[in-house]
Amino acid sequence: MNTNWCLYENSYNGDMVKYYEGLMTQGNGYLHVRGSYEEGISGALQDEEYDRKPANVTLEKHKKQKSKWGTYIPGIVGPHPYLKTETINLPYLFDLRVNVDGEVLDMENCQIEKYERYLDLRDGVITRSFIWKTKKGNELALTFKRFISMADKHIAVQMLTIKAESGNANLNVTGDINTGVRTNGFNHFIKVIKEKQEGITRVITETNGGNIVTMCSYLDQEGEQVIQEGEQLTITKVIHVSTDRDGEIPELKVADVDIRTFNVDKALKRHRLKWAEKWEAADVKIIGDNRAQLAIRMSIYHLMRADNEDDPRVAICAKGHAGEGYCGRYFWDTEMNMLPFFIHSNPKAARNLVKFRYLTLPGAKENAKAYGYEGARYAWESSVTGTEECACWQYADHEIHVTADIIYAMEHYVKATGDVAFIEECGLEIMKETAKYWAGRVDEINGQYELLGVMGPDEYLPMTMNNAFTNRMVKFSLEKTLKYCREFDQAEKDKLAEWEAIKECLRLPYKETDELIMQSDDFSSYADLDFDAIWTDRSRCFGEFISQEKNYRSKALKQADVLEMMMLFPKEFTKQQLEANYDYYEPITTHDSSLSAAVHGILAAHMGRITEAESFLNKVIDIDMSPEKRGAEEGIHIANCGGLWQLIVYGFAGLNSAMWEEDVVLEPHLPKEWEQLEFPLMWHGEKKRVVVTHEGYKIY
Amino acid sequence: MNTNWCLYENSYNGDMVKYYEGLMTQGNGYLHVRGSYEEGISGALQDEEYDRKPANVTLEKHKKQKSKWGTYIPGIVGPHPYLKTETINLPYLFDLRVNVDGEVLDMENCQIEKYERYLDLRDGVITRSFIWKTKKGNELALTFKRFISMADKHIAVQMLTIKAESGNANLNVTGDINTGVRTNGFNHFIKVIKEKQEGITRVITETNGGNIVTMCSYLDQEGEQVIQEGEQLTITKVIHVSTDRDGEIPELKVADVDIRTFNVDKALKRHRLKWAEKWEAADVKIIGDNRAQLAIRMSIYHLMRADNEDDPRVAICAKGHAGEGYCGRYFWDTEMNMLPFFIHSNPKAARNLVKFRYLTLPGAKENAKAYGYEGARYAWESSVTGTEECACWQYADHEIHVTADIIYAMEHYVKATGDVAFIEECGLEIMKETAKYWAGRVDEINGQYELLGVMGPDEYLPMTMNNAFTNRMVKFSLEKTLKYCREFDQAEKDKLAEWEAIKECLRLPYKETDELIMQSDDFSSYADLDFDAIWTDRSRCFGEFISQEKNYRSKALKQADVLEMMMLFPKEFTKQQLEANYDYYEPITTHDSSLSAAVHGILAAHMGRITEAESFLNKVIDIDMSPEKRGAEEGIHIANCGGLWQLIVYGFAGLNSAMWEEDVVLEPHLPKEWEQLEFPLMWHGEKKRVVVTHEGYKIY
């Protein structure tokens, strides 16, 4: 077990089960399974039904459960009675029950010693081993191993090795595909057929989203047998998963595999090879900071696992397909927080992520229409069709910047990769449709255009006037739209003139020369807060200490807003401006959003405030990895994983964004204890390596 | 049938069933039943379950149903899965099925002639008569009559007279208490027991709100019988209703009645006597305008019917206990729109309406606590406990003016009746608790106090800064609180100083001398709308033509806001100011709220713009009475009923509010065609009569 490569647990703790389930989620882009115990744990019901209603996203309380199974195939979604379209938690395919001398294996109730479990980030294999002292006095050494194949997308494998350390053991192992599961308290299954033929268990699930999911498993040894003292045996279960959606994507075509004769050793080799290739293109090496080293690898592991690079019909959901938080939906996080990592490590994956927005353009058009506009309005929370799935109107109605963010991301992809063909193939249509939407969405006031009733990135002010970030982003998106429309000689003349006028006259709530930029026109009219009096425990969310009503009328930012803009448009603001705004906003920013800390860290690094940047680095790492916070319980904060990558690459290594530089330019600000930072970098189609030390940097 | 006293229908029309059900609701304060047909109509399911979710209150779409039974006892409430606590639709007690020669009576499918039905507003009796030509060729004359006794609160009576006009008729009549009902698509019944003993049908219903409702009925003739040609018979059904809540109120104590021997004739006499007393104290007579005459009587009928003058534990819900719109909840409407009528016609009833807020003070304290404040914060939508039941946060969180409106109403009650004892008994405690709330709710900004994040009466701007109406109202409520606290030597000195400071320094978003008063600090920053382009059919709600998102960022008022303030504080604004504000706001007011037209009518009358006032009078009347709009389908817009009374008394008769005048002072502006207007008026405990003509007015 390599501590720089493995997420490790060395004792069983019931309170930590759900946290590790999230943190140790395995997957291959196509299929994802949380790191739950194969045998379940007693007292943790998986099929309890309850009403989960929409709520303020920051403060949403999830059902208290000791353990939560989660098996997700991005794209397999269906309607929830309260939450709109959500990813469906599918039958638990790793179910494996062990009975020795009539005693059922259960971490809660059995006598377990020398427990250890780790997820090896290099190949995504989970290994769990321990000694089980049975009530009858036998001692058994058990080792569970499992993986979801990165090479064979439809295959998952699990193995159990049992050695009878003392005494003969009467063993009975049964394997199952457990259909007793719910998603956010709701049963999405219309019909479930389970059958067993020739040793193969087959479960066919019809979902309320209209999909068919087929899971088959084969356990090579079933029934009762005796292990003689000192002997050991290994039981293998091979699982095959497919859906009615697979045929549409050639890479996901279901091969004709006989899981009874499937060669697991070879499969594991293929799987490891694939993972090795992925790591080769992406690994970030930090010498001198083991905590950061493990954290960035954990982040990269989850980014690579969560992304299905072959399938542009899905993106990466806010919990990285590792839980049911945010209902498996796609936010601006994909573009703003995760995409840079893919742009610079796996351009093909990046292309498909951007292309997802092209495939969901029809949904975005429906949204515009539903709101009474022409063109396309991207959903604040998107599922596979692109229609708005956010159940809370304040976000759905007002967080319109996502529609412009998508254009920024597209341009970023094109600038970094040189793939201008993408614009002609997909981008132009998106641009023209979103420009039509903006033309309808702006209000003309005194000869200028304004965007009223807007929620910026800061979700603690739901309806502001002319949010700086949003207006700047929209201006940018119209500028690019006009540029490409002219380049490719597209769109009618009068449309271009209209868009040009809006781009020119869209009012920014600040002047170039302003030192301090107000987040929105009305920002100064909100109330100041006595944070110390209200926020009496800073280890918890600020939002827990204040009513939404009071929060919504006060100057408390959920996350970077003006600062996010300054990060995305670095050439437009002086260092003095950056410092003034950072010093003004940071103290009134609660960082209740997991998208906030990384941005602040990057900017702190840019300003050369390394201690502050390091403190944000710690915050970023803690979001999912802190065993106290257990942030990973409901899934991985995958945007924050992308944020960590950005903090290291843009912040500490000081890479200038490909958006604004043709060449690789670095302005590093390494933390003191970091001896060396090294990472690969795809740039304009070329694979480069960057090595940064305190002496300087090299690119080769 | 007196056309000045009766709501009349002269043919059966399936599309009008639900409208007349609402409009012809009967009741006695304690019990209310919609004007549904006794025999039901085919194809109109009453027990269909469906999901009704919270929505923008203006645009909420109700389930399309041909007929909707409704039987309500104010106070019998329970939780709905989506809508929070709501009034429960109880078993339908007027169920009576008629079968002649094997044919079932049904307005939809039978051959019906000479149909007429009317609700006599004088006594609340519904009479329906028609000729039924059966398929066998018989002709029968049927007359249904029914009433809910105003004298015997627990008793309802129905009668059916059948005459065999041609041919002998084989008759079978069955009476039932029909438990197959739902409320807003939900079944609130935990347990229903139905039994028949000694001719009495007894239904005991246990609700999910924890109440027991007992209904007994006795039909004096049951089973098959023959009516010879030319003969007639009358069948009588007596119903008794009681609940486990009755015992708490002496006036509602259940008498020991044997419904089998109950004397219906005497009961009808007692019932009529009670109604006559009520009308004596309240009838408004208009000579020269039959439409207005019937409308004001319809309004007064529903106000008197809907109010349980004996029971301060309940108020009048927004649909007047005549439907399931607004879930049977109490809004500021009670205080602002209905209370003046009761103050001046039935001070005892008025007292109990105000006392309702005292009894729900514990709920208001809970609300304050839930939002993080001290003191008491009245619910935007209250049920019997006073806790916030509004399921949409923008109203619940921001429409805080209700807490001050209650103080205004209390003061109005005291000024008009002279009942200062009420202040000591109930008022002071309410005042002190609400003052504590305001002290926590204000923000101190530059030495002034502000109320940020507020929805004023205009519900189309959900989060404004310093709403003029709200701030003025809060200032008023603090002023009265301080006055009475000092008078009765109450409250700690430091509290008084704090409240005094807030009262003094609560910023009004206007100066005394401003001609045009902005609705809120931020009002001018909202967008102007091209109403003609958007609102292409003015017979429908404006809100149907615009997305909430666009509406919320534009200058389109749902209802009077600044103008409501000017009406309530008439001495503070000059006629010039009134005109300037009326001329500015009226054209951008959509009157989508039923609370708007009456206010505008009153102010138009005050300005002497009689044609305009008359046009608002028409709007007010149309809200429930227009057969095209059918506004009464989901219940009566009872606030608008109170609004009509105010329009006539404050507007056309020009009565100066008792709030600001010691004596009865009138400044009449009668519509041209009105020859005479006459109404009784309780004033400082004395009963006066007011007669207004174009020549002048008399009070005696």
Side-chain angles (χ1 to χ4, degrees), chain B residues 467-487:
Chain B
N467 170 260
F469 173 93
T470 304
N471 288 22
R472 181 65 195 91
M473 214 48 157
V474 172
K475 221 177 174 78
F476 174 90
S477 86
L478 290 173
E479 191 185 308
K480 292 302 153 196
T481 303
L482 288 161
K483 172 180 174 276
Y484 286 118
C485 276
R486 282 165 184 148
E487 244 171 76

Short mmCIF file of all heavy atoms in Angstrom, two decimals, chain B residues 467-487:
data_model
loop_
_atom_site.label_atom_id
_atom_site.label_comp_id
_atom_site.label_asym_id
_atom_site.label_seq_id
_atom_site.Cartn_x
_atom_site.Cartn_y
_atom_site.Cartn_z
N ASN B 467 -39.90 49.07 1.43
CA ASN B 467 -41.21 49.23 0.80
C ASN B 467 -42.00 50.29 1.58
O ASN B 467 -42.15 50.20 2.80
CB ASN B 467 -41.94 47.87 0.84
CG ASN B 467 -43.39 47.96 0.43
OD1 ASN B 467 -44.27 48.00 1.28
ND2 ASN B 467 -43.66 48.00 -0.85
N ALA B 468 -42.48 51.31 0.86
CA ALA B 468 -43.14 52.45 1.51
C ALA B 468 -44.30 51.99 2.40
O ALA B 468 -44.39 52.38 3.57
CB ALA B 468 -43.64 53.43 0.44
N PHE B 469 -45.17 51.17 1.85
CA PHE B 469 -46.32 50.69 2.62
C PHE B 469 -45.87 50.01 3.90
O PHE B 469 -46.36 50.28 5.00
CB PHE B 469 -47.14 49.71 1.75
CG PHE B 469 -48.25 49.04 2.50
CD1 PHE B 469 -49.53 49.57 2.50
CD2 PHE B 469 -48.02 47.87 3.23
CE1 PHE B 469 -50.56 48.96 3.20
CE2 PHE B 469 -49.04 47.26 3.94
CZ PHE B 469 -50.31 47.81 3.93
N THR B 470 -44.94 49.08 3.75
CA THR B 470 -44.50 48.28 4.90
C THR B 470 -43.87 49.17 5.97
O THR B 470 -44.20 49.07 7.15
CB THR B 470 -43.51 47.19 4.44
OG1 THR B 470 -44.16 46.40 3.43
CG2 THR B 470 -43.10 46.29 5.60
N ASN B 471 -42.95 50.02 5.55
CA ASN B 471 -42.26 50.85 6.54
C ASN B 471 -43.24 51.80 7.24
O ASN B 471 -43.16 52.00 8.46
CB ASN B 471 -41.13 51.63 5.87
CG ASN B 471 -39.96 50.72 5.50
OD1 ASN B 471 -40.14 49.51 5.36
ND2 ASN B 471 -38.79 51.28 5.34
N ARG B 472 -44.18 52.36 6.47
CA ARG B 472 -45.15 53.26 7.09
C ARG B 472 -45.99 52.49 8.12
O ARG B 472 -46.29 52.99 9.21
CB ARG B 472 -46.06 53.88 6.01
CG ARG B 472 -47.10 54.85 6.56
CD ARG B 472 -46.43 56.07 7.17
NE ARG B 472 -47.30 56.86 8.02
CZ ARG B 472 -47.44 56.68 9.35
NH1 ARG B 472 -46.77 55.72 9.96
NH2 ARG B 472 -48.22 57.46 10.05
N MET B 473 -46.37 51.29 7.73
CA MET B 473 -47.22 50.46 8.59
C MET B 473 -46.47 50.07 9.88
O MET B 473 -47.04 50.05 10.96
CB MET B 473 -47.58 49.21 7.79
CG MET B 473 -48.92 48.66 8.03
SD MET B 473 -50.23 49.90 7.98
CE MET B 473 -51.59 48.87 7.61
N VAL B 474 -45.20 49.76 9.72
CA VAL B 474 -44.41 49.36 10.89
C VAL B 474 -44.24 50.56 11.83
O VAL B 474 -44.35 50.43 13.06
CB VAL B 474 -43.04 48.79 10.45
CG1 VAL B 474 -42.13 48.57 11.64
CG2 VAL B 474 -43.24 47.49 9.67
N LYS B 475 -43.96 51.72 11.25
CA LYS B 475 -43.84 52.95 12.03
C LYS B 475 -45.13 53.16 12.82
O LYS B 475 -45.11 53.45 14.03
CB LYS B 475 -43.64 54.11 11.05
CG LYS B 475 -42.62 55.15 11.48
CD LYS B 475 -42.47 56.21 10.38
CE LYS B 475 -41.58 57.33 10.81
NZ LYS B 475 -40.15 57.07 10.78
N PHE B 476 -46.25 53.01 12.15
CA PHE B 476 -47.55 53.18 12.80
C PHE B 476 -47.70 52.18 13.95
O PHE B 476 -48.13 52.52 15.06
CB PHE B 476 -48.68 52.97 11.78
CG PHE B 476 -50.05 52.98 12.39
CD1 PHE B 476 -50.76 54.17 12.53
CD2 PHE B 476 -50.65 51.80 12.86
CE1 PHE B 476 -52.03 54.18 13.11
CE2 PHE B 476 -51.90 51.81 13.44
CZ PHE B 476 -52.59 53.00 13.58
N SER B 477 -47.35 50.94 13.68
CA SER B 477 -47.58 49.92 14.71
C SER B 477 -46.68 50.16 15.92
O SER B 477 -47.09 49.94 17.06
CB SER B 477 -47.41 48.51 14.12
OG SER B 477 -46.08 48.10 14.16
N LEU B 478 -45.47 50.65 15.69
CA LEU B 478 -44.59 50.97 16.82
C LEU B 478 -45.12 52.17 17.60
O LEU B 478 -45.04 52.21 18.84
CB LEU B 478 -43.17 51.22 16.33
CG LEU B 478 -42.43 49.97 15.83
CD1 LEU B 478 -41.09 50.35 15.20
CD2 LEU B 478 -42.22 48.95 16.96
N GLU B 479 -45.64 53.12 16.88
CA GLU B 479 -46.22 54.32 17.52
C GLU B 479 -47.35 53.91 18.46
O GLU B 479 -47.41 54.36 19.62
CB GLU B 479 -46.74 55.21 16.39
CG GLU B 479 -47.14 56.61 16.75
CD GLU B 479 -47.77 57.27 15.50
OE1 GLU B 479 -47.13 57.23 14.41
OE2 GLU B 479 -48.90 57.77 15.62
N LYS B 480 -48.23 53.06 17.99
CA LYS B 480 -49.36 52.62 18.83
C LYS B 480 -48.85 51.77 19.99
O LYS B 480 -49.36 51.85 21.10
CB LYS B 480 -50.37 51.81 18.00
CG LYS B 480 -51.12 52.63 16.97
CD LYS B 480 -51.88 53.79 17.60
CE LYS B 480 -52.07 54.93 16.60
NZ LYS B 480 -52.45 56.19 17.22
N THR B 481 -47.88 50.95 19.71
CA THR B 481 -47.31 50.11 20.77
C THR B 481 -46.77 51.00 21.88
O THR B 481 -47.05 50.77 23.07
CB THR B 481 -46.18 49.23 20.18
OG1 THR B 481 -46.73 48.46 19.12
CG2 THR B 481 -45.61 48.30 21.24
N LEU B 482 -46.00 51.99 21.50
CA LEU B 482 -45.42 52.89 22.50
C LEU B 482 -46.52 53.63 23.27
O LEU B 482 -46.47 53.74 24.49
CB LEU B 482 -44.49 53.90 21.80
CG LEU B 482 -43.18 53.29 21.29
CD1 LEU B 482 -42.54 54.17 20.22
CD2 LEU B 482 -42.21 53.05 22.45
N LYS B 483 -47.50 54.12 22.53
CA LYS B 483 -48.60 54.85 23.15
C LYS B 483 -49.28 53.98 24.22
O LYS B 483 -49.43 54.39 25.38
CB LYS B 483 -49.60 55.24 22.06
CG LYS B 483 -50.91 55.86 22.57
CD LYS B 483 -51.82 56.21 21.39
CE LYS B 483 -53.19 56.69 21.84
NZ LYS B 483 -54.15 55.64 22.13
N TYR B 484 -49.67 52.79 23.85
CA TYR B 484 -50.42 51.96 24.80
C TYR B 484 -49.52 51.43 25.91
O TYR B 484 -49.96 51.27 27.04
CB TYR B 484 -51.13 50.81 24.06
CG TYR B 484 -52.34 51.29 23.28
CD1 TYR B 484 -52.40 51.15 21.89
CD2 TYR B 484 -53.43 51.88 23.92
CE1 TYR B 484 -53.50 51.58 21.17
CE2 TYR B 484 -54.54 52.32 23.20
CZ TYR B 484 -54.57 52.17 21.83
OH TYR B 484 -55.68 52.59 21.13
N CYS B 485 -48.27 51.14 25.56
CA CYS B 485 -47.35 50.69 26.62
C CYS B 485 -47.24 51.77 27.69
O CYS B 485 -47.21 51.48 28.89
CB CYS B 485 -45.97 50.38 26.04
SG CYS B 485 -45.85 48.74 25.35
N ARG B 486 -47.15 53.02 27.27
CA ARG B 486 -47.04 54.12 28.23
C ARG B 486 -48.35 54.31 28.99
O ARG B 486 -48.35 54.47 30.21
CB ARG B 486 -46.62 55.40 27.51
CG ARG B 486 -45.12 55.37 27.21
CD ARG B 486 -44.68 56.41 26.21
NE ARG B 486 -43.26 56.23 25.92
CZ ARG B 486 -42.68 56.49 24.76
NH1 ARG B 486 -43.39 56.97 23.76
NH2 ARG B 486 -41.40 56.27 24.60
N GLU B 487 -49.44 54.24 28.26
CA GLU B 487 -50.75 54.40 28.89
C GLU B 487 -50.97 53.37 29.98
O GLU B 487 -51.48 53.67 31.05
CB GLU B 487 -51.85 54.27 27.83
CG GLU B 487 -52.66 55.54 27.63
CD GLU B 487 -53.58 55.40 26.44
OE1 GLU B 487 -54.61 54.71 26.54
OE2 GLU B 487 -53.23 55.96 25.38
#
